[in-house]
Amino acid sequence: MAKRTFSNLETFLIFLLVMMSAITVALLSLLFITSGTIENHKDLGGHFFSTTQSPPATQGSTATQRSTVTQYSTATQSSTATQTSPVTLTPESPLFQNFSGYHIGVGRADCTGQVADINLMGYGKSSQNAQGILTRLYSRAFIMAEPDGSNRTVFVSIDIGMLSQRLRLEVLNRLQSKYGSLYRRDNVILSGTHTHSGPAGYFQYTVFVIASEGFSNQTFQHMVTGILKSIDIAHTNMKPGKIFINKGNVDGVQINRSPYSYLQNPQSERARYSSNTDKEMIVLKMVDLNGDDLGLISWFAIHPVSMNNSNHLVNSDNVGYASYLLEQEKNKGYLPGQGPFVAAFASSNLGDVSPNILGPRCINTGESCDNANSTCPIGGPSMCIAKGPGQDMFDSTQIIGRAMYQRAKELYASASQEVTGPLASAHQWVDMTDVTVWLNSTHASKTCKPALGYSFAAGTIDGVGGLNFTQGKREGDPFWDTIRDQILGKPSEEIKECHKPKPILLHTGELSKPHPWHPDIVDVQIITLGSLAITAIPGEFTTMSGRRLREAVQAEFASHGMQNMTVVISGLCNVYTHYITTYEEYQAQRYEAASTIYGPHTLSAYIQLFRNLAKAIATGVVAEVIFVGANPKNSVQNQTHQTFLTVEKYEATSTS
């Protein structure tokens, strides 16, 4: 290999990059040390964990350890962990029982947070800080309960980029303090709309803290307060009603932004679908027993990136505009954000779906750059950008949002298929770095410790990266590898082998300073309303990934007697783990695959896990065990037992 020489400019840039990295690490260390509020959720050796406050363990634990191992928990289960703080319970008002339908509560509350001097979350662009507001951000909550009030579920759609684990855990803690075991980790889903124009700064894992340029307690608290207020309003407003479901295609609002990845999927599989994006919108219509409107939830696969990375105004993007239009129509005489009717346009399997339907073009020459690497002959990948249908990003946002609003309005008006049947839920903590995936009856593989590939730094046609990285890179670069190794250390051979063919840019699963860079412990969850199953996805599924999961979960329900289930992919839920591509798409290593942090078998692992949850709901089988004990260090002084734990099985014997 010829020796590489660097120009004075390149040498200066390398020096500047190293200095900036060192300063960033130092500032982050200072930030974490002074805040003292970041929790470290590490594996205790098993796959399934749950506590009332956090995943399995936190740093600085006290002498008495408490952990709850939960494989499944259904809506009828009470909280499994002993209360660790006083609980102020909100009195439960008696519910009217003798009717056919559900108790339904809807609520909306502001969760905007800071609108200046804070980074916007989504594009990862350091200079994209908030400088004002275009639209306010809202949390929209929907509570559904059976007629006798015994089982209930909560779905919350929030105008933020994605849920952080820290945000969800704080919300659950406060719900427990106010409502006891009524609203729990298994029956509450929190889902981000994925707007890229909301404030950042509400994460605990280092990658996202760096992208946020720190942690903002002000924004974090405002988000928590808004989410809780929306649930409180929905709880207070619960009334007997009915839920109807409808489905229909939305045309002309989306393209697949990684079509070359999609083409890696088997032709026989692709032939079953008419498009390389999911065009179907699913709408839930909620009315009271008089037929008066209460609310709507719509799930549709589209990235809220009509507002591009040059934007500096806080807003809810195209899906938020759709909510605004429908709520204004139903809440006549009310100001925006007010009125009883609540309309949520929630995220789905949007991972490779763009609203910038004019497609990628070289902004310097005007020619198409719809190629495998999204690069231009002159200027490279930084010139390849997709645009929407409007004159500018504001116009495009309204065009796309209005089309979604119009279709949802039509589906809402014509919805006639009633949703009936019991409510249930299942939840599981999983160590996603160590899931055994059965490829067939004889061969298995495993997921990996988190890592980001080179194409992650390239960004997408909706928002390109800043260092001229290229999508589709299947080999590393000695220049960047050397810089990484000097600053962060070398990735292990184990992690490099596990992620192949991904060339690893950042081996985040092996980085723990100042705190873990990516989550190891992830929660997966399903809630069902009769024949509707809502799968809470902790990231961004691509189009085909979503199709495979829906099909697998539906088949699992059917195999246990629950036929014709409608399975909804609800994205950006509970904790953020980047993207999930199919195994075949992973081989192309475009942005979405490079951002599939648990390796090539991530989707297969999730399919296994969600099938297990579906089986638990369908069969009513719940496995749960609680361990309470002293700090293991005390065993040094206690020699009365030869082991820390003995599990014994009771065998019934006949007395006859």
Side-chain angles (χ1 to χ4, degrees):
M1 179 184 293
K3 184 178 180 180
R4 179 172 180 177
T5 60
F6 301 107
S7 66
N8 290 337
L9 176 60
E10 287 179 313
T11 302
F12 172 74
L13 288 175
I14 294 169
F15 172 76
L16 187 62
L17 177 63
V18 172
M19 291 302 296
M20 289 176 64
S21 299
I23 292 171
T24 299
V25 172
L27 288 176
L28 280 171
S29 299
L30 180 62
L31 169 69
F32 284 118
I33 291 169
T34 55
S35 67
T37 57
I38 306 297
E39 294 181 344
N40 177 18
H41 303 139
K42 297 300 291 182
D43 183 8
L44 291 183
H47 286 284
F48 314 113
F49 300 93
S50 174
T51 71
T52 55
Q53 295 189 357
S54 68
T58 58
Q59 289 183 336
S61 57
T62 58
T64 301
Q65 300 275 342
R66 177 184 290 110
S67 66
T68 307
V69 183
T70 305
Q71 185 168 357
Y72 310 112
S73 53
T74 64
T76 57
Q77 290 288 109
S78 61
S79 179
T80 56
T82 306
Q83 298 288 344
T84 58
S85 60
V87 176
T88 303
L89 297 181
T90 298
E92 180 71 9
S93 55
L95 297 176
F96 180 72
Q97 294 188 10
N98 296 318
F99 70 98
S100 173
Y102 300 103
H103 289 284
I104 303 169
V106 301
R108 177 186 53 249
D110 186 281
C111 64
T112 305
Q114 290 176 247
V115 297
D117 298 327
I118 191 169
N119 234 40
L120 299 181
M121 188 65 199
Y123 290 110
K125 186 177 179 181
S126 61
S127 61
Q128 193 187 12
N129 57 312
Q131 298 175 6
I133 185 169
L134 180 63
T135 64
R136 302 200 70 85
L137 308 180
Y138 296 99
S139 173
R140 296 174 170 91
F142 303 82
I143 301 177
M144 291 74 71
E146 292 181 0
D148 63 0
S150 59
N151 293 340
R152 63 180 63 198
T153 58
V154 184
F155 181 83
V156 187
S157 178
I158 312 151
D159 288 332
I160 56 177
M162 62 283 288
L163 259 293
S164 77
Q165 195 173 71
R166 180 175 189 170
L167 191 64
R168 170 170 161 84
L169 293 174
E170 183 64 23
V171 169
L172 290 175
N173 282 343
R174 297 195 192 182
L175 285 174
Q176 184 186 43
S177 295
K178 186 168 187 177
Y179 296 104
S181 62
L182 195 61
Y183 302 119
R184 311 172 305 276
R185 62 184 178 272
D186 65 288
N187 68 356
V188 175
I189 291 178
L190 304 181
S191 172
T193 62
H194 204 39
T195 174
H196 284 43
S197 298
Y202 54 96
F203 296 87
Q204 79 269 41
Y205 291 105
T206 301
V207 165
F208 309 128
V209 174
I210 292 174
S212 303
E213 297 186 356
F215 177 79
S216 169
N217 191 56
Q218 180 181 353
T219 286
F220 178 80
Q221 294 298 335
H222 200 89
M223 287 180 176
V224 171
T225 300
I227 295 169
L228 288 168
K229 185 176 180 181
S230 69
I231 296 174
D232 287 340
I233 294 171
H235 177 88
T236 302
N237 291 339
M238 290 183 73
K239 62 176 65 175
K242 292 182 179 294
I243 299 176
F244 299 88
I245 190 170
N246 206 358
K247 309 171 187 177
N249 285 357
V250 186
D251 296 315
V253 297
Q254 38 159 230
I255 61 170
N256 191 306
R257 71 184 187 190
S258 284
Y260 288 85
S261 294
Y262 182 87
L263 288 172
Q264 303 304 307
N265 295 307
Q267 194 280 331
S268 58
E269 182 180 35
R270 290 184 279 113
R272 296 166 50 202
Y273 304 98
S274 60
S275 172
N276 61 4
T277 62
D278 275 346
K279 296 181 178 295
E280 186 175 74
M281 174 183 282
I282 296 178
V283 167
L284 288 188
K285 174 181 181 177
M286 303 177 185
V287 297
D288 65 18
L289 294 182
N290 295 321
D292 294 331
D293 297 326
L294 294 177
L296 165 150
I297 309 176
S298 162
W299 286 276
F300 181 62
I302 192 167
H303 247 92
V305 289
S306 293
M307 298 294 291
N308 61 44
N309 65 7
S310 69
N311 168 60
H312 290 276
L313 300 177
V314 169
N315 69 85
S316 51
D317 212 283
N318 46 43
V319 292
Y321 188 66
S323 289
Y324 161 80
L325 290 175
L326 193 54
E327 289 179 347
Q328 285 298 99
E329 178 176 316
K330 294 291 187 179
N331 296 319
K332 294 188 183 301
Y334 287 91
L335 292 173
Q338 299 180 8
F341 185 85
V342 179
F345 283 73
S347 57
S348 190
N349 54 321
L350 48 69
D352 53 359
V353 185
S354 170
N356 296 311
I357 58 177
L358 297 184
R361 308 197 76 83
C362 301
I363 58 175
N364 52 354
T365 65
E367 61 187 309
S368 172
C369 51
D370 186 9
N371 53 63
N373 304 112
S374 298
T375 188
C376 295
I378 302 174
S382 63
M383 293 291 109
C384 183
I385 297 176
K387 292 187 177 181
Q391 297 298 312
D392 54 32
M393 60 182 170
F394 300 96
D395 190 26
S396 294
T397 298
Q398 294 188 12
I399 291 172
I400 300 297
R402 188 176 294 111
M404 288 190 287
Y405 144 76
Q406 188 63 42
R407 191 64 176 120
K409 175 184 173 182
E410 295 167 357
L411 293 172
Y412 184 90
S414 61
S416 59
Q417 180 184 343
E418 186 174 359
V419 177
T420 60
L423 305 180
S425 60
H427 172 276
Q428 185 178 19
W429 290 117
V430 182
D431 181 356
M432 277 301 296
T433 71
D434 190 29
V435 177
T436 298
V437 178
W438 286 97
L439 306 178
N440 53 47
S441 59
T442 58
H443 290 78
S445 190
K446 296 186 76 171
T447 53
C448 314
K449 291 181 180 179
L452 291 165
Y454 265 76
S455 296
F456 162 77
T460 72
I461 60 172
D462 293 325
V464 297
L467 293 173
N468 222 36
F469 282 82
T470 303
Q471 291 198 64
K473 280 189 69 66
R474 291 163 53 96
E475 294 182 358
D477 183 282
F479 170 62
W480 291 110
D481 283 351
T482 299
I483 291 178
R484 176 203 61 211
D485 295 349
Q486 290 297 316
I487 297 173
L488 302 173
K490 294 183 179 181
S492 68
E493 291 301 318
E494 177 186 4
I495 199 170
K496 288 193 291 186
E497 185 67 27
C498 190
H499 278 270
K500 283 184 177 180
K502 177 195 292 179
I504 292 178
L505 179 63
L506 295 172
H507 48 304
T508 55
E510 297 180 328
L511 303 176
S512 58
K513 295 181 180 179
H515 279 275
W517 283 47
H518 267 145
D520 291 345
I521 308 302
V522 174
D523 49 356
V524 291
Q525 179 184 15
I526 296 179
I527 62 176
T528 58
L529 295 79
S531 60
L532 175 70
I534 303 173
T535 59
I537 306 301
E540 305 178 51
F541 269 30
T542 60
T543 298
M544 195 64 85
S545 294
R547 289 169 175 169
R548 290 185 187 178
L549 182 84
R550 276 197 300 262
E551 201 168 69
V553 172
Q554 188 177 49
E556 189 67 34
F557 276 120
S559 69
H560 299 286
M562 295 179 68
Q563 305 291 332
N564 303 316
M565 293 289 288
T566 296
V567 179
V568 169
I569 302 292
S570 186
L572 291 306
C573 293
N574 300 340
V575 57
Y576 186 58
T577 62
H578 295 270
Y579 284 74
I580 301 95
T581 65
T582 67
Y583 178 84
E584 294 83 357
E585 291 165 351
Y586 189 89
Q587 308 309 307
Q589 277 302 300
R590 282 178 58 85
Y591 173 82
E592 295 82 11
S595 305
T596 298
I597 62 174
Y598 300 114
H601 300 292
T602 301
L603 174 62
S604 296
Y606 277 124
I607 288 175
Q608 271 186 196
L609 294 166
F610 279 99
R611 289 190 70 154
N612 287 340
L613 295 179
K615 180 180 179 181
I617 290 176
T619 61
V621 176
V622 178
E624 191 169 87
V625 60
I626 300 174
F627 299 96
V628 178
N631 192 306
K633 73 177 183 180
N634 296 330
S635 64
V636 176
Q637 287 79 33
N638 184 0
Q639 298 294 330
T640 58
H641 299 285
Q642 295 180 345
T643 183
F644 292 104
L645 174 69
T646 300
V647 178
E648 298 179 351
K649 180 180 179 181
Y650 174 75
E651 298 284 359
T653 57
S654 173
T655 58
S656 58

